Amino acid sequence: QAQLVESGGGSVQTGGSLKLSCTMSGNLVSIKAMGWYRQVPGKERELIAATVTGGGSHYAESVQGRFVVSRDNAGSSVYLQMNDLKPEDTAVYICWAVTWRDNWGQGTQVTVKN
């Protein structure tokens, strides 16, 4: 069974940067897309960045121009470079991969302090 393992969360001051990493392991099958959601308590999970295998990348308006999503050459890892972080970016960031089904990581906390 495939698993997604994230790393790189933490606490940073406003205007700072963090890079999240996520690697899919286990029974790897064709990955159609990978990306990142984030979730704040009391709100719906939000797709903020995704990269389609053999295609382009897509961003939520709230992170466009500040965040960059990328994949490794093997295609089983996805990264999220987060720049110019704001307090409203504080959330649990959850890695996501599409194979024949949706696959989810456990999430990593990102906290942006004033």
Side-chain angles (χ1 to χ4, degrees):
Q1 185 172 351
Q3 291 184 322
L4 293 171
V5 178
E6 302 117 328
S7 63
S11 181
V12 66
Q13 296 290 329
T14 296
S17 297
L18 282 174
K19 185 174 183 177
L20 305 182
S21 301
C22 173
T23 297
M24 191 165 185
S25 62
N27 185 15
L28 296 180
V29 294
S30 177
I31 301 174
K32 298 178 176 59
M34 297 186 81
W36 296 88
Y37 279 73
R38 68 185 180 189
Q39 187 155 29
V40 176
K43 294 188 177 181
E44 289 190 2
R45 188 174 291 188
E46 175 190 20
L47 177 61
I48 58 167
T51 175
V52 178
T53 302
S57 298
H58 307 275
Y59 298 92
E61 186 175 344
S62 57
V63 305
Q64 181 77 44
R66 299 188 298 123
F67 290 11
V68 178
V69 64
S70 61
R71 299 265 294 273
D72 69 331
N73 289 336
S76 59
S77 294
V78 63
Y79 309 97
L80 187 66
Q81 176 66 46
M82 304 184 292
N83 301 318
D84 190 22
L85 283 160
K86 305 175 181 180
E88 52 264 41
D89 295 318
T90 295
V92 175
Y93 285 71
I94 305 163
C95 180
W96 164 73
V98 180
T99 56
W100 58 272
R101 66 181 183 107
D102 285 336
N103 301 273
W104 302 95
Q106 290 188 325
T108 184
Q109 177 69 44
V110 171
T111 301
V112 184
K113 300 178 180 179
N114 285 312

